[in-house]
Amino acid sequence: MNIIQAQNYDQLSKIGAAVIAGQILAKPDSILGLATGSTPEGTYKELVSLHRQNVLDFGKVSSFNLDEYYGIKRSDPQSYYAFMYRHLFSHVNIPGENIRLPNGEAQDADAECKAYEKLIAASGGIDLQLLGIGANGHIGFNEPGDVFPAVTHHVSLSESTIIANSRFYSSREEVPRSALTMGIGTIMAAKRILLLVSGAAKKSIMEQALYGPVTPNVPASVLQFHRDVTVVYDF
Ligand code: GLP
């Protein structure tokens, strides 16, 4: 693993954007795996800035997002779909048809997950997957458990995730109870992985993930088995 200590969030965001920019410059038709959460917001801002400065062309880029709440409309400002347009897609020239997220409005969640997994495989696979880490060690919405879920699936969110994500809602009751997420196998199939970890509150879970035993109780620990992971943290 390539582990980089940034001095602060601003530098973490610039390094994160530089890694993604390098990927796009080396392969303009890169397939990016993208993530939501507070952590990548600064990275997206930097990517938008690089695009505005004429450094980065998203014209041939494709993307697959990691996850989406289930039972939420794409037009809901809390949807990950809306998040991605707000922070990145509306500000760069990525073609709309190249943008994919699991559809949280799908009637049949399992069919949607199967179709999403197939679409990723048919694309030829993700070149660079951006990840954050949940306070409980989750990546995407792969929650701690007894097994590493292989493929895109419908998952019930753990109480700790619902509490963590309730900061975006006026009450805990409003937080969606389930989500559609790429599986650990889907994530591990990406050619490269970029994990961003921000804030000292994540120090202990990051250390467990990177240096502790590989266990589904800490889903991010599986990254120890991936051959090309860059971690950037800011504490
Ligand atoms: C959510 C997302 C994850 C993200 C995590 C951490 O639950 N599903 O992909 O990594 O939150 O978010 P934050 O960066 O806000 O701490």
Side-chain angles (χ1 to χ4, degrees):
M1 281 193 190
N2 177 21
I3 301 177
I4 302 171
Q5 182 178 27
Q7 280 156 16
N8 50 42
Y9 180 70
D10 184 53
Q11 195 189 25
L12 171 139
S13 301
K14 289 195 164 92
I15 295 171
V19 172
I20 297 171
Q23 172 67 42
I24 297 173
L25 290 168
K27 186 173 182 259
D29 60 349
S30 284
I31 301 180
L32 302 179
L34 297 176
T36 54
S38 311
T39 311
E41 281 184 21
T43 299
Y44 291 145
K45 210 169 154 199
E46 294 293 335
L47 288 174
V48 169
S49 165
L50 289 172
H51 173 66
R52 290 193 175 139
Q53 292 169 62
N54 252 336
V55 176
L56 267 192
D57 179 8
F58 285 77
K60 292 184 184 151
V61 169
S62 303
S63 68
F64 285 95
N65 260 78
L66 270 175
D67 49 12
E68 176 61 283
Y69 287 125
Y70 185 61
I72 193 169
K73 287 209 181 318
R74 288 188 153 180
S75 57
D76 187 323
Q78 298 288 3
S79 74
Y80 286 172
Y81 181 93
F83 173 101
M84 288 307 302
Y85 274 85
R86 201 157 57 235
H87 291 285
L88 182 67
F89 299 150
S90 297
H91 313 290
V92 297
N93 64 328
I94 182 169
E97 65 272 21
N98 290 6
I99 295 171
R100 297 187 184 88
L101 290 93
N103 182 6
E105 298 182 35
Q107 288 293 320
D108 183 339
D110 293 336
E112 170 62 17
C113 291
K114 268 191 193 144
Y116 197 68
E117 187 72 26
K118 259 193 179 166
L119 217 53
I120 297 172
S123 76
I126 290 167
D127 292 303
L128 175 63
Q129 175 67 56
L130 173 62
L131 295 177
I133 182 170
N136 62 4
H138 74 207
I139 45 178
F141 270 129
N142 291 279
E143 299 283 36
D146 299 333
V147 293
F148 288 117
V151 293
T152 305
H153 59 289
H154 182 202
V155 61
S156 297
L157 301 182
S158 70
E159 201 51 33
S160 66
T161 296
I162 292 171
I163 293 168
N165 290 2
S166 65
R167 69 187 193 277
F168 300 113
Y169 288 83
S170 45
S171 75
R172 196 185 295 182
E173 287 63 46
E174 289 170 45
V175 183
R177 286 352 233 185
S178 72
L180 310 180
T181 182
M182 284 185 195
I184 293 292
T186 328
I187 293 169
M188 290 294 280
K191 296 178 186 93
R192 299 173 66 202
I193 290 181
L194 170 62
L195 171 66
L196 302 180
V197 190
S198 178
K202 297 262 178 83
K203 183 173 192 279
S204 157
I205 194 67
M206 183 186 92
E207 286 172 356
Q208 287 177 59
L210 302 188
Y211 310 118
V214 174
T215 161
N217 285 320
V218 182
S221 64
V222 77
L223 299 175
Q224 293 180 42
F225 288 153
H226 194 282
R227 56 197 295 183
D228 191 346
V229 180
T230 298
V231 182
V232 190
Y233 69 99
D234 64 1
F235 42 82

